[in-house]
């Protein structure tokens, strides 16, 4: 009976079983790696997530937590809102996690740009030390009210516990 395999997997198998030794993989481990890679590429793509924070340690931590919690997630990162905006122009994400206080384009401005300029609607989790100090800002509004108004679906105060962060990511990706 014929088995329906993705074309990339079939191609790797054909090369592994080629009659001519010159056409085959140099070793069994090369064949195994080619088959693994072909299977992974044939899987449906996971959610795309961008981590936006000007602190590289936070970016690394959040990216690692997402990678562990969301198998197959495609994770991008940016150190400020302008870099994130450019990344999202060509790679619209399913989820954005962002700091509010960043250089060049802050988190609030970034969300506004996503909605009005790029016209994309990813889920957004805002993470900031500002959220732990709820004092009115512009026009007497609280930061959390302003975030909800621009479409932020979840807000976490820094420092955030890793488990709380992971739960929020999973909730927003409906996992």
């Amino acid at each position: 009976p014929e088995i329906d395999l993705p074309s990339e997997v079939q191609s790797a198998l054909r090369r592994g079983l080629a009659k001519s030794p010159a056409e085959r993989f140099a070793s069994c481990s090369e064949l195994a790696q080619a088959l693994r890679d072909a299977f992974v590429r044939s899987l449906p793509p996971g959610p795309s997530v961008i981590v936006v924070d000007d602190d590289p340690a936070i970016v690394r931590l959040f990216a690692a937590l997402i990678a562990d919690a969301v198998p197959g997630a495609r994770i991008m990162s940016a150190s400020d809102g302008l870099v994130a905006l450019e990344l999202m122009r060509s790679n619209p994400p399913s989820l954005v996690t962002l700091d509010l206080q960043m250089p060049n384009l802050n988190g609030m401005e970034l969300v506004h740009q996503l909605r009005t300029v790029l016209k994309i609607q990813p889920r957004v989790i805002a993470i900031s030390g500002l959220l732990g100090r709820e004092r009115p800002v512009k026009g007497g509004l609280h930061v959390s009210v302003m975030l909800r108004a621009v479409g932020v679906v979840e807000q976490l105060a820094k420092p955030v516990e890793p488990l709380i962060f992971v739960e929020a990511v999973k909730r927003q990706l409906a996992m």
Side-chain angles (χ1 to χ4, degrees):
E2 205 169 291
I3 299 173
D4 187 26
L5 293 173
S7 61
E8 288 188 54
V9 174
Q10 290 179 17
S11 177
L13 281 172
R14 270 196 230 65
R15 182 173 170 201
L17 299 172
K19 287 185 180 185
S20 167
E23 293 175 18
R24 288 186 221 135
F25 291 98
S27 68
C28 289
S29 61
E30 279 187 28
L31 170 60
Q33 185 63 49
L35 287 170
R36 249 189 318 274
D37 292 346
F39 273 113
V40 167
R41 283 191 299 272
S42 70
L43 294 173
S48 174
V49 181
I50 184 165
V51 177
V52 189
D53 199 301
D54 57 331
D55 182 340
I58 295 286
V59 170
R60 283 191 304 274
L61 172 65
F62 287 173
L65 291 169
I66 294 166
D68 286 345
V70 185
R74 290 167 289 140
I75 304 165
M76 302 176 285
S77 64
S79 58
D80 69 48
L82 286 178
V83 172
L85 201 57
E86 284 309 308
L87 265 174
M88 290 186 270
R89 241 180 245 291
S90 56
N91 300 293
S94 310
L95 176 66
V96 178
T97 70
L98 56 82
D99 185 14
L100 291 181
Q101 296 176 293
M102 295 182 293
N104 300 323
L105 189 67
N106 70 39
M108 190 91 64
E109 294 165 334
L110 175 58
V111 174
H112 179 73
Q113 293 289 315
L114 291 176
R115 308 291 193 232
T116 61
V117 175
L118 296 185
K119 306 237 186 274
I120 60 174
Q121 301 293 322
R123 310 288 288 174
V124 178
I125 300 173
I127 305 155
S128 177
L130 290 176
L131 296 168
R133 302 185 300 266
E134 279 296 316
R135 281 179 259 152
V137 286
K138 291 182 184 174
L141 293 175
H142 287 271
V143 172
S144 58
V145 172
M146 293 168 53
L147 287 169
R148 280 193 298 278
V150 295
V152 172
V153 294
E154 191 140 359
Q155 303 170 32
L156 303 173
K158 279 186 178 178
V160 62
E161 292 293 325
L163 183 58
I164 301 295
F165 174 78
V166 167
E167 288 172 352
V169 167
K170 286 182 170 185
R171 200 170 28 255
Q172 295 311 318
L173 292 174
M175 297 188 71

